[in-house]
Amino acid sequence: MKIIDGKMISNLIKEEIKQEVEKIIKKGERPPHLAAILVGNDGASLTYVGSKVRSCKQVGFDSTLLKLPAEISQKDLLNKIHELNNDDKIDGFIVQLPLPNHIDEEEVLMTVNPNKDVDGFHPSNFGKMALNMESFIPATPYGIIELLKRYEINTSGKNTVVIGRSNIVGRPISILLSRKGNPGDSTVTLVHSRTKNLESFTKNADIIVSALGVPDFLKSEMVKKGVIIIDVGITRVKDDSNSKGYVIKGDVDFESVKEKASFITPVPGGVGPMTIAMLLKNTLFSKNL
Ligand code: NAD
């Protein structure tokens, strides 16, 4: 069994990006610039955006954090997005999700200029991704692809089961792994909350990508020997013995499943750190558009 070390690979990618930034600066150009819009004061969102901004500094990017009040109107938020769309000094930006209930998320994501859409959520980028055209790829699935690549895991002809069909993880990774290419060329089954007898699919899977957000959902008896496990789940579970009052859990019952797996990502330290690294990679790509 080999543990896939997302922390180590993400640091490697950040180092590679830093070197690219140094080359850009040597040419006399400005570094890539990532902006983030944060609406409201959600604790988890603040943490995520904070670490995105810190990572920009680490690789030499410029960054801007726009903190907007939770009660901002749809119109004012769209105006902010138009400002960023038209700002030549900003290469890419993200709108941190989730947004408050009164905001129409779909309209917000549709307003982002596809050439600055480093989250890859705009239908134009999502469509290009599905058609195997060059585009921004949503950071978490992009991170999974990169982990498979760097660990030289062969996905061709493999039975791959993706658990969860969200627009940001399950659906895009199912498309990416079924595309022609490497990693790709998998026979992908997408299972979800309406799937009957889910175990019958996971038991036959060579590769399982789990993105449902239910701690310890995938048990040892649901997988076959030699399976490759990519655990995307991140759930805070109350734990008073921990100084933070919670622990982070993945979707996979790691201790039992690892005995059967040939490769497995831990939580934390697997897919999580890759997400930010790939957002930075998308921003570097946007600088050249
Ligand atoms: P989501 O809540 O949008 O979607 C969950 C999906 O799981 C749905 O398609 C649902 O049908 C399916 N599902 C739920 N319960 C199920 C069950 N019992 N059986 C089968 N399918 C079931 O989730 P999301 O945004 O894709 O996030 C999934 C998990 O991944 C969460 O824990 C989230 O925190 C985590 N996540 C991690 C990263 C990262 O950087 N590592 C990024 C995004 C999301």
Side-chain angles (χ1 to χ4, degrees):
M1 184 269 306
K2 204 164 178 175
I3 291 189
I4 298 179
D5 188 344
K7 185 121 190 77
M8 183 264 289
I9 300 288
S10 70
N11 283 334
L12 213 67
I13 292 170
K14 283 187 199 164
E15 195 48 49
E16 291 163 8
I17 294 173
K18 199 171 159 190
Q19 285 170 17
E20 290 304 313
V21 175
E22 280 160 13
K23 280 189 210 156
I24 292 171
I25 289 169
K26 265 197 194 132
K27 280 195 282 178
E29 293 174 25
R30 64 162 178 79
H33 187 164
L34 174 70
I37 294 182
L38 176 65
V39 182
N41 289 310
D42 176 70
S45 295
L46 272 166
T47 309
Y48 289 142
V49 170
S51 56
K52 286 170 187 173
V53 169
R54 271 197 307 282
S55 298
C56 281
K57 285 209 179 80
Q58 243 181 310
V59 297
F61 284 8
D62 287 335
S63 63
T64 300
L65 173 57
L66 285 170
K67 275 191 188 168
L68 304 175
E71 59 280 2
I72 191 168
S73 69
Q74 177 84 8
K75 187 163 166 275
D76 287 349
L77 178 55
L78 294 184
N79 282 340
K80 275 285 168 211
I81 293 174
H82 285 302
E83 272 175 33
L84 296 183
N85 281 344
N86 295 319
D87 186 338
D88 291 339
K89 289 188 203 69
I90 285 173
D91 302 298
F93 66 97
I94 58 161
V95 182
Q96 184 67 42
L97 301 179
L99 290 165
N101 287 337
H102 69 279
I103 299 286
D104 177 351
E105 187 176 298
E106 193 175 297
E107 190 183 16
V108 166
L109 298 180
M110 292 282 286
T111 306
V112 175
N113 175 350
N115 286 335
K116 294 191 176 190
D117 171 39
V118 285
D119 260 339
F121 293 161
H122 192 283
S124 150
N125 286 317
F126 207 89
K128 282 184 177 171
M129 176 195 68
L131 295 168
N132 220 347
M133 295 162 70
E134 196 172 56
S135 69
F136 295 112
I137 294 173
T140 303
Y142 195 6
I144 296 171
I145 292 293
E146 201 62 28
L147 285 179
L148 293 170
K149 235 187 224 171
R150 304 235 177 186
Y151 276 84
E152 296 178 349
I153 292 172
N154 180 20
T155 56
S156 177
K158 298 287 164 67
N159 281 331
T160 296
V161 169
V162 175
I163 314 176
R165 56 178 165 185
S166 74
N167 290 341
I168 62 167
V169 189
R171 176 88 49 203
I173 192 64
S174 74
I175 294 171
L176 289 166
L177 288 174
S178 67
R179 290 194 326 189
K180 211 172 175 55
N182 180 30
D185 289 333
S186 256
T187 306
V188 177
T189 308
L190 182 60
V191 299
H192 46 78
S193 52
R194 298 291 175 97
T195 299
K196 291 197 175 86
N197 198 5
L198 186 139
E199 243 181 276
S200 65
F201 297 97
T202 54
K203 266 183 178 159
N204 286 312
D206 302 309
I207 302 171
I208 299 176
V209 180
S210 186
L212 70 157
V214 178
D216 295 336
F217 175 84
L218 196 75
K219 309 271 188 221
S220 167
E221 59 272 20
M222 294 165 73
V223 305
K224 72 174 184 188
K225 203 159 167 42
V227 66
I228 293 158
I229 301 278
I230 307 290
D231 187 354
V232 186
I234 298 180
T235 309
R236 284 184 183 189
V237 177
K238 194 173 162 354
D239 182 349
D240 293 332
S241 68
N242 190 291
S243 60
K244 287 182 182 157
Y246 66 86
V247 285
I248 299 288
K249 284 258 178 199
D251 290 346
V252 177
D253 181 11
F254 185 84
E255 288 307 320
S256 72
V257 173
K258 79 170 199 254
E259 302 302 331
K260 275 182 156 176
S262 55
F263 287 89
I264 187 165
T265 61
V267 176
V271 176
M274 291 299 289
T275 298
I276 293 186
M278 301 322 277
L279 174 68
L280 298 175
K281 213 169 159 80
N282 275 340
T283 307
L284 186 66
F285 173 64
S286 70
K287 172 88 168 67
N288 300 322
L289 283 177

